[in-house]
Amino acid sequence: MALRIDPDTRLLVLTGAGVSAESGVPTFRDANGLWENHSIEQVATPQGFEDDPALVWRFYSERRRKAASVSPNPGHATLAGVEARMDDRFLLVTQNIDGLHQRAGSRRVIEIHGSLFRTRCDTCDREPFADEREHVAAPACDACAAAGRKGRLRPAVVWFGELIDPEILREIGGFLSEAHRQRLVFLAVGTSGAVYPAAGLVLEARAAGGETWLVNAEPAENRGAFHHFVQGPSGRILPELFEWA
Ligand code: BV8
């Protein structure tokens, strides 16, 4: 089954942890949602950070080290190549925070859940900043300290129970609504379709008249919402998937 791209096609891609699996980055489901016997909710929620900031920084520091040590795979490279051919008719929304799409050359990327390699303050509104360091405890925010406040630095990622930046959701909605004169295609790759609002994008694409595709190692939870489902590893499937008209 080939996904046809013609001059009138507009493509929105959503990726999840499965697209990085063949690079060696463990997915959330591989670990059955556990890390060192801690539930993801314990280390990927504001409460978890409140309860044990050192544990949370150990979790993210280990993932920084892992993500920095692996390379993009043919699935990432294919999506960067498709973007290069489609330019502003293409948009990639990733749930991943590992930065592998950008390292593969993708530029039109929205990191809907933030980035492993950016850090922000949990108190003041200073801009999130690039940070590849590993931290054993939550560093104090120097901007807060200078203002006599107690702010702690945290990973600039979206935890469970935290809102997605409304500007990001508006940008994605805008891309879908601009498709009204074009042929809209939505492709989800390597995601279990379990976490919202990302898992709801397929329904937004259908509401906008889009043709919906899923490439995944197993049927995702929201598999019923897709017109087409190609089962298998994205590193093998994506390089063969597209047909250019
Ligand atoms: C929000 C960043 C409004 C951090 C992530 C009750 C209380 C509080 C909230 C909720 C609640 N009920 C529902 C919610 C909303 C919640 C939610 O959806 N919860 C789920 C669990 C039901 N969502 C939120 O909280 C979001 N915010 O809604 O705000 C709000 C506020 C308060 C209360 C209610 C609503 C924010 C969610 C963002 C969380 N942050 N990541 C970090 O990475 O540490 S989520 C994280 O897990 C990922 O980013 C991703 O989104 C999600 C699932 O992971 P996937 O990417 O899908 O990966 P997974 O391992 O699950 O699946 C991999 C798939 O790939 C598998 O299907 C596998 O078969 C396949 N695969 C494997 N190998 C390959 C492959 N496919 C192809 N090729 C391969 N080689």
Side-chain angles (χ1 to χ4, degrees):
M1 203 162 32
L3 197 168
R4 184 171 52 81
I5 305 279
D6 55 36
D8 188 40
T9 303
R10 199 175 180 78
L11 177 61
L12 177 65
V13 180
L14 170 70
T15 59
V19 81
S20 296
E22 289 153 272
S23 295
V25 181
T27 69
F28 289 82
R29 294 172 84 80
D30 284 350
N32 336 313
L34 286 181
W35 170 76
E36 284 192 1
N37 295 327
H38 298 289
S39 78
I40 295 290
E41 280 68 33
Q42 217 180 333
V43 286
T45 58
Q47 192 54 53
F49 186 68
E50 205 50 47
D51 295 348
D52 191 342
L55 174 73
V56 171
W57 265 115
R58 202 166 82 239
F59 174 54
Y60 284 95
S61 297
E62 185 183 293
R63 290 173 68 192
R64 278 185 176 173
R65 189 180 332 123
K66 180 71 185 166
S69 73
V70 299
S71 306
N73 66 59
H76 296 108
T78 301
L79 293 175
V82 170
E83 171 187 328
R85 293 182 69 159
M86 298 186 76
D87 195 18
D88 64 0
R89 291 183 294 127
F90 175 96
L91 181 62
L92 170 58
V93 176
T94 186
Q95 299 170 91
N96 301 338
I97 61 175
D98 58 30
L100 288 177
H101 284 301
Q102 293 89 333
R103 287 176 51 199
S106 290
R107 290 292 167 269
R108 292 175 55 80
V109 184
I110 292 181
E111 293 175 308
I112 191 169
H113 292 157
S115 167
L116 198 48
F117 298 106
R118 275 200 300 280
T119 292
R120 71 175 176 85
C121 174
D122 71 347
T123 302
C124 73
D125 56 1
R126 68 189 283 182
E127 272 302 298
F129 56 92
D131 181 12
E132 308 207 344
R133 295 168 299 170
E134 297 182 35
H135 299 288
V136 291
C141 168
D142 47 347
C144 282
R149 285 188 306 262
K150 279 197 173 310
R152 289 176 305 186
L153 297 185
R154 53 162 283 182
V157 301
V158 179
W159 282 328
F160 288 97
E162 294 189 317
L163 292 172
I164 308 290
D165 176 353
E167 187 46 41
I168 281 185
L169 297 177
R170 261 195 299 281
E171 189 178 344
I172 297 168
F175 184 85
L176 288 172
S177 57
E178 279 150 28
H180 60 275
R181 284 191 310 277
Q182 294 172 302
R183 172 174 164 262
L184 174 64
V185 176
F186 175 79
L187 167 64
V189 186
T191 180
S192 56
V195 173
Y196 289 82
L201 285 181
V202 58
L203 297 177
E204 289 185 48
R206 285 182 74 115
E211 182 186 315
T212 54
W213 289 69
L214 173 65
V215 171
N216 211 55
E218 66 195 3
E221 287 187 26
N222 58 354
R223 182 259 175 282
F226 290 90
H227 296 111
H228 307 286
F229 170 43
V230 186
Q231 184 157 2
S234 48
R236 175 169 61 74
I237 301 249
L238 288 181
E240 314 289 322
L241 180 68
F242 299 96
E243 179 187 272
W244 296 86

